[in-house]
C-alpha cells in the first residue's frame, strides 16, 4: 500500500510515520515544508495543479493529512488549516490516483459541551475560537469533496513530544522548575478544566486503522473519559517524585497561568487562565464509532503518557 503522509514532522505526524513504517505492507512517502521531507511542498501556497501532478506520479492509495497550525492569528490558521485542505481535496479530485483521504481534525471543532456529557459525531459543532473554526471549515471541505474520506476528530493529545507550550507541557515545566529550585509548594491556576486526554501513539494506531478501513465521515478519537487537569497534576507529581504541595489559585482575580513564571507583581492580583482550545470547562468523547467502525480502542493510560511528558521535561536544560 502506497501512503502519502503530509505533515510527517509535526507533533502527531511523527508518531503516525513511525506506526506506518512499522507496517511492512506500507510504502511511505512524506510530503511537507521541511528539508527532511521526501518531497518539499507548501500546501498553503502551492497550487492544486502541482500537487495533482505529484499524485499522478506517485499514485498513492491513501493520503493522510497531519499538517496544520495550532497557533497564530485567524489569517495564518485559515491558510494552514483550511486553504491547505482545500488544495489537497482539489488535487485529489483532479488526480487519477483515486486515493483515500484520512484527515486529522480536532475536538476544538465541537466547542464547549455540557459538563457530564459525551460528545458524539452528530453533535452540532460550535467552535469557540479561530483554531476550531479553521479546522471545522477543513472538515466541511473534506466531507463535501465527494472523495473516499474520513475525518478523525482527535481530542486532547498527550504523551511523548507534547509541546512545552501546551497545558500539560507547561504543567511539567512548572513542576521541573519547582523541583530544581527546591520549592516546597507549587501554585497553579486553570486546573479546573476537564479534558479527554488521548496518547499520541494511540492516535497513530487510529490513523493506521482508518487508512485500512472503509469508514467515512467523522470519527472521534479519544479515551472516552474526561480528566480534571488538577488530577493530572497530582498524577504528574507522583510520577515526578515531587513531594511538595500543589495549590490551585482562585479563579477570581487570577493572573497566574500554568507554567508561567511568577513575578513580584503577580502575587497580589492573579487572573484566570483560559484553556486555549475554546472548549470551555468540559470535553469528553463518545468513542463508540471508532470501536465499531475502526476496531480501535485506546491502550495507553494517562499515567504512562504523563510519565513520558515528565521524562522529556526533566531532561530539559
Amino acid at each position: 500500500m502506497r501512503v502519502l503522509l503530509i505533515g510527517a514532522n509535526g507533533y502527531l505526524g511523527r508518531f503516525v510515520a513511525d506506526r506506518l513504517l512499522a507496517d511492512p505492507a506500507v510504502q511511505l512517502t512524506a510530503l511537507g515544508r521541511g528539508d527532511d521531507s521526501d518531497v518539499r511542498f507548501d500546501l498553503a501556497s502551492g497550487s492544486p495543479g502541482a500537487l495533482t501532478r505529484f499524485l499522478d506520479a506517485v499514485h498513492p492509495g491513501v493520503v493522510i493529512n497531519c499538517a496544520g497550525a495550532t497557533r497564530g492569528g485567524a489569517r495564518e490558521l485559515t491558510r494552514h488549516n483550511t486553504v491547505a485542505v482545500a488544495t489537497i481535496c482539489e488535487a485529489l479530485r483532479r488526480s487519477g490516483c483515486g486515493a483515500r483521504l484520512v484527515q486529522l481534525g480536532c475536538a476544538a471543532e465541537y466547542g464547549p459541551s455540557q459538563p457530564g456529557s459525551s460528545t458524539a459525531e452528530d453533535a452540532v459543532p460550535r467552535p469557540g475560537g479561530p483554531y476550531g473554526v479553521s479546522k471545522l471549515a477543513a472538515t466541511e471541505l473534506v466531507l463535501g469533496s465527494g472523495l473516499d474520506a474520513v475525518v478523525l476528530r482527535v481530542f486532547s493529545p498527550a504523551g511523548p513530544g507534547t509541546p512545552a507550550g501546551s497545558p500539560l507541557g507547561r504543567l511539567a515545566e512548572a513542576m521541573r522548575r519547582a523541583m530544581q529550585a527546591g520549592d516546597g509548594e507549587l501554585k497553579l491556576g486553570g486546573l479546573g478544566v476537564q479534558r479527554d486526554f488521548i496518547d499520541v501513539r494511540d492516535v497513530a494506531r487510529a490513523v493506521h486503522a482508518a487508512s485500512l478501513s472503509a469508514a467515512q465521515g467523522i470519527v472521534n478519537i479519544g479515551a472516552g473519559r474526561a480528566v480534571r487537569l488538577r488530577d493530572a497534576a497530582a498524577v504528574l507529581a507522583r510520577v515526578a517524585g515531587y513531594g511538595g504541595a500543589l495549590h490551585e489559585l482562585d479563579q477570581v482575580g487570577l493572573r497566574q497561568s500554568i507554567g508561567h513564571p511568577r513575578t513580584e507583581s503577580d502575587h497580589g492580583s492573579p487572573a484566570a487562565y483560559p484553556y486555549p482550545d475554546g472548549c470551555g470547562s468540559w470535553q469528553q468523547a463518545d468513542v463508540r464509532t471508532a470501536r465499531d467502525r475502526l476496531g480501535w480502542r485506546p491502550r495507553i493510560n494517562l499515567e504512562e503518557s504523563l510519565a513520558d511528558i515528565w521524562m522529556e521535561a526533566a531532561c530539559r536544560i
Side-chain angles (χ1 to χ4, degrees):
M1 180 173 68
R2 294 180 183 270
V3 177
L4 175 64
L5 176 59
I6 303 170
N9 296 319
Y11 172 36
L12 297 178
R14 292 194 299 272
F15 292 94
V16 172
D18 289 345
R19 177 74 187 184
L20 294 173
L21 287 169
D23 184 347
V26 171
Q27 292 180 307
L28 184 64
T29 300
L31 181 147
R33 291 181 290 168
D35 292 334
D36 47 357
S37 299
D38 296 324
V39 178
R40 289 191 64 184
F41 188 83
D42 188 345
L43 289 169
S45 59
S47 71
L51 184 57
T52 299
R53 290 190 291 274
F54 175 73
L55 291 171
D56 287 339
V58 175
H59 214 78
V62 178
V63 174
I64 301 171
N65 181 33
C66 296
T70 57
R71 295 184 178 184
R75 178 176 295 182
E76 184 179 4
L77 291 169
T78 300
R79 283 183 62 240
H80 292 291
N81 295 337
T82 309
V83 174
V85 172
T87 299
I88 295 171
C89 290
E90 181 60 25
L92 282 169
R93 279 195 297 264
R94 295 183 189 182
S95 172
C97 69
R100 171 172 172 77
L101 174 60
V102 179
Q103 163 73 10
L104 264 65
C106 69
E109 297 174 45
Y110 288 121
S113 55
Q114 186 69 26
S117 67
S118 292
T119 303
E121 290 84 356
D122 60 357
V124 177
R126 295 185 177 90
Y131 172 62
V133 169
S134 67
K135 292 294 287 186
L136 176 60
T139 291
E140 295 299 334
L141 285 168
V142 170
L143 298 182
S145 66
L147 300 168
D148 174 13
V150 62
V151 177
L152 303 184
R153 274 194 178 146
V154 179
F155 276 63
S156 298
T162 293
S166 70
L168 289 180
R170 287 196 300 273
L171 180 60
E173 178 62 15
M175 198 163 291
R176 183 191 70 81
R177 292 187 179 190
M179 293 177 72
Q180 191 175 46
D183 240 341
E185 63 175 15
L186 186 56
K187 295 182 179 180
L188 301 167
L191 296 182
V193 297
Q194 298 182 67
R195 288 293 180 270
D196 190 329
F197 296 107
I198 180 69
D199 193 273
V200 288
R201 291 157 292 195
D202 279 333
V203 174
R205 288 179 43 249
V207 173
H208 189 199
S211 301
L212 301 173
S213 79
Q216 295 187 336
I218 298 168
V219 179
N220 287 340
I221 303 299
R225 182 173 69 95
V227 175
R228 197 178 302 273
L229 202 55
R230 179 188 306 126
D231 297 331
V235 172
L236 186 65
R238 184 172 71 249
V239 166
Y242 177 64
L246 296 176
H247 296 297
E248 184 173 4
L249 296 170
D250 293 336
Q251 294 302 300
V252 179
L254 285 175
R255 280 183 55 200
Q256 178 70 14
S257 64
I258 295 171
H260 284 205
R262 282 179 292 167
T263 66
E264 289 304 315
S265 61
D266 285 331
H267 287 281
S269 55
Y273 177 71
Y275 204 85
D277 56 9
C279 294
S281 63
W282 170 277
Q283 259 201 341
Q284 177 174 285
D286 182 329
V287 294
R288 289 175 295 180
T289 300
R291 179 196 63 200
D292 296 342
R293 299 177 67 188
L294 302 183
W296 173 92
R297 296 174 187 266
R299 294 178 180 171
I300 300 174
N301 61 37
L302 182 57
E303 183 166 350
E304 184 175 343
S305 303
L306 289 170
D308 288 326
I309 292 172
W310 173 249
M311 185 178 297
E312 292 180 348
C315 293
R316 199 173 296 131
I317 299 176

